[in-house]
Amino acid sequence: MAFKSLKLIFALVLVFAMSASLATSRKLPDSSMVERHDQWMSQYGRVYKDEVEKSKRYKIFKENVEYIDAFNKVGTKSYKLGINAFADLTNKEFQASRNGYKLPHECSSNTLFRYENVSAVPSTVDWRKKGAVTPVKDQGQCGCCWAFSAVAAMEGITQLSTGKLISLSEQELVDCDVKGEDQGCEGGLMDDAFQFIINNKGLTTESNYPYQGTDGSCQKSKSSNSAAKITGFEDVPANSESALEKAVANQPVSVAIDASGMDFQFYSSGVFTGSCDTQLDHGVTAVGYGKAEDGTKYWLVKNSWGTSWGENGYIRMQKDIDAKEGLCGIAMQASYPTATATA
């Protein structure tokens, strides 16, 4: 009888041990993910208000990381995804905080395109190498991509016209350009920003009117202290990558794209060839073009999501695709400022 009891006890111990082992094996991958989340929080200085918020963000982080890992494991695309500063945001949250381009109510009547008759363009262009591009900036949780796009294009033409690369103020546009379509962190248009700069007789420097990442009251004393001016702007003929190439060959150009997809949110490197729509929602700046080692042509695009995103803040987007709008609609609403002069 005692022997049978011992056997029963042994069997129960064995069952409990196996159950514990299975439970541990189930927890190990999740524990690893918890560690990755903790490391990510430390890397990006992320702090949550309480455990409920942390649990919610961890779940989103886990789903995003699993998507990124699965994508990279397949390895059939010409680009990679990465765990960046946006890894604890859902795609909808990401779009709401980072994309702020407004589609114009009507097409511009501006028909002048000064590069129309350009017959030859270089095979590659990179305005960074020619000193016409300031370091990558970060718009933060403010949907004013339109201001960063317009400012980057203006910084480029200012350097090309004056020889001086000056970091100009996005915050001035956010605070002061609010009487029309442009509404600070709630979105705007690059063309409207150019028109404001013309009417305002210029734009001041970043150092004089630094970026805050929130809507503020217009500081007129700072706004009146212009460091660079433009006298006009022109739209690139819509739905023509060849026209856009002519423009970018001559100066950095503001472009609007559809940046709503998860692959765009977590783009890390390579030539982006992912699927995207043409519902334009984000303003960026085309600062060049070229060809990758595998022969894929690309647009070199400066973003305003900081240097931890993409290739140190840039993305290479596939160029000369079959669709007339270009990948993600890059050729649909392009424009550039003209005739700058030292203020």
Side-chain angles (χ1 to χ4, degrees), residues 172-231:
E172 181 180 353
L173 291 174
V174 171
D175 291 351
C176 304
D177 178 17
V178 294
K179 293 182 179 179
E181 288 293 317
D182 297 345
Q183 294 296 317
C185 294
E186 282 66 59
L189 295 161
M190 286 79 85
D191 279 9
D192 284 13
F194 293 143
Q195 189 61 59
F196 169 83
I197 295 166
I198 294 167
N199 296 342
N200 192 56
K201 296 181 172 56
L203 201 63
T204 194
T205 64
E206 181 83 41
S207 58
N208 183 52
Y209 204 146
Y211 186 65
Q212 302 298 321
T214 58
D215 292 320
S217 300
C218 183
Q219 300 181 41
K220 293 183 179 179
S221 60
K222 293 184 176 181
S223 180
S224 63
N225 185 17
S226 296
K229 296 179 180 179
I230 58 174
T231 56

Side-chain angles (χ1 to χ4, degrees), residues 74-97:
V74 174
T76 57
K77 299 288 187 179
S78 60
Y79 62 98
K80 296 288 185 182
L81 304 183
I83 304 170
N84 56 31
F86 314 125
D88 69 343
L89 298 177
T90 66
N91 185 246
K92 285 186 177 180
E93 289 174 330
F94 172 77
Q95 292 178 48
S97 66

Side-chain angles (χ1 to χ4, degrees), residues 255-326:
V255 293
I257 58 174
D258 182 332
S260 62
M262 280 190 68
D263 284 11
F264 213 95
Q265 180 177 345
F266 297 115
Y267 166 79
S268 176
S269 63
V271 178
F272 183 78
T273 57
S275 60
C276 48
D277 208 337
T278 56
Q279 298 299 311
L280 308 178
D281 63 1
H282 188 48
V284 289
T285 315
V287 298
Y289 56 83
K291 184 184 291 187
E293 291 183 1
D294 65 358
T296 304
K297 293 181 180 180
Y298 63 81
W299 294 108
L300 177 63
V301 176
K302 182 185 183 184
N303 204 350
S304 53
W305 294 343
T307 56
S308 68
W309 179 87
E311 296 181 329
N312 296 313
Y314 290 85
I315 182 172
R316 287 179 290 159
M317 298 177 62
Q318 187 178 12
K319 177 176 175 285
D320 295 342
I321 66 171
D322 291 336
K324 62 181 181 179
E325 301 91 350

Side-chain angles (χ1 to χ4, degrees), residues 50-175:
D50 53 36
E51 287 301 315
V52 175
E53 178 68 12
K54 183 176 180 180
S55 177
K56 174 186 175 182
R57 291 297 154 193
Y58 168 74
K59 182 180 178 182
I60 296 169
F61 175 87
K62 182 174 182 289
E63 291 173 353
N64 285 335
V65 170
E66 288 173 347
Y67 175 82
I68 292 166
D69 288 347
F71 177 93
N72 290 336
K73 187 176 181 180
V74 174
T76 57
K77 299 288 187 179
S78 60
Y79 62 98
K80 296 288 185 182
L81 304 183
I83 304 170
N84 56 31
F86 314 125
D88 69 343
L89 298 177
T90 66
N91 185 246
K92 285 186 177 180
E93 289 174 330
F94 172 77
Q95 292 178 48
S97 66
R98 292 281 168 164
N99 300 349
Y101 177 78
K102 291 183 177 180
L103 284 171
H105 291 303
E106 57 184 32
C107 294
S108 171
S109 58
N110 184 346
T111 58
L112 180 64
F113 178 52
R114 65 185 55 216
Y115 304 122
E116 180 68 43
N117 296 321
V118 171
S119 58
V121 296
S123 58
T124 62
V125 170
D126 186 342
W127 288 113
R128 298 175 302 180
K129 295 179 179 179
K130 299 182 180 182
V133 183
T134 60
V136 168
K137 303 178 184 182
D138 191 345
Q139 69 188 72
Q141 302 296 311
C142 172
C144 62
C145 56
W146 58 274
F148 282 83
S149 172
V151 165
M154 184 174 173
E155 289 169 342
I157 197 62
T158 297
Q159 193 280 334
L160 293 175
S161 298
T162 69
K164 298 177 181 178
L165 181 62
I166 306 169
S167 183
L168 299 171
S169 175
E170 292 84 11
Q171 192 66 42
E172 181 180 353
L173 291 174
V174 171
D175 291 351

